[in-house]
Amino acid sequence: LGIATLAAVGKAGNLADVDWSRVNFWWGDERFVARDSPDRNELQARRALLDNLELDPARVHPFGAAGEYADVDEAARAYADALRQAAAAEGAAEAADAPAALPRFDVLLLGIGPDAHIASLFPELAGIRETGGTVVGVRDSPKPPPGRVSLTLPATNSADEIWLVAGGPDKAG
């Protein structure tokens, strides 16, 4: 549903009301697959919306892909570094309740899985309990593919607004 939401935004008649060249796009999570894999959130988001906008490419911040990094942990460290650098460029100081400096997230769009996971933070895996960092590598995801990279709960909770998208009877609970 998250990608469908992006596609709906792309079809809205008022896209010109936003100066998209000034918008930063960060990912909440990503499947650790090749950059050109149809399973990547990045590729789906680009097809649904981003490729149709006048964007500054330097403001689009996808997670690293399999083949670019040795494993999910290395990709997570790289993304945490990118977040820290962006926060420094914004002049952001580390908040007392934040795991590390983060850039400002105005809106974070998250889908909810049938097991109530958000991003790639699954209820039964350790990543959901991570509080010391901004990004975590996920192994053994119960939903394929097994390797993922995700923002931590403290990082997602730093957003000014969090929009949750859920649909279908398997998510009613």
Side-chain angles (χ1 to χ4, degrees):
L1 287 175
I3 297 301
T5 300
L6 295 180
V9 168
K11 293 176 184 160
N14 59 348
L15 283 177
D17 293 349
V18 175
D19 181 356
W20 295 101
S21 69
R22 298 184 61 206
V23 175
N24 282 298
F25 291 89
W26 294 91
W27 269 251
D29 75 320
E30 184 59 88
R31 296 167 181 102
F32 193 65
V33 293
R35 178 85 51 196
D36 61 352
S37 170
D39 289 334
R40 272 186 73 85
N41 293 329
E42 174 196 3
L43 186 61
Q44 294 173 35
R46 286 184 183 279
R47 289 178 177 163
L49 176 63
L50 302 182
D51 286 348
N52 302 315
L53 300 174
E54 297 289 327
L55 300 177
D56 176 352
R59 291 182 174 264
V60 180
H61 310 279
F63 280 101
E68 298 170 5
Y69 293 97
D71 59 25
V72 294
D73 296 323
E74 185 180 337
R77 284 190 298 276
Y79 209 68
D81 287 344
L83 290 167
R84 197 171 9 269
Q85 291 170 13
E90 288 179 2
E94 290 188 32
D97 61 345
L102 290 162
R104 179 177 177 165
F105 299 141
D106 294 315
V107 176
L108 181 64
L109 175 65
L110 292 171
I112 300 173
D115 58 359
H117 81 271
I118 57 167
S120 286
L121 301 175
F122 295 89
E124 65 279 5
L125 298 181
I128 199 161
R129 293 180 292 284
E130 172 63 45
T131 59
T134 54
V135 186
V136 64
V138 177
R139 299 176 186 279
D140 300 324
S141 163
K143 184 177 174 188
R148 294 159 180 252
V149 186
S150 182
L151 295 181
T152 61
L153 284 179
T156 61
N157 286 335
S158 75
D160 290 342
E161 294 190 32
I162 299 172
W163 297 353
L164 297 172
V165 179
D170 61 341
K171 298 177 186 176

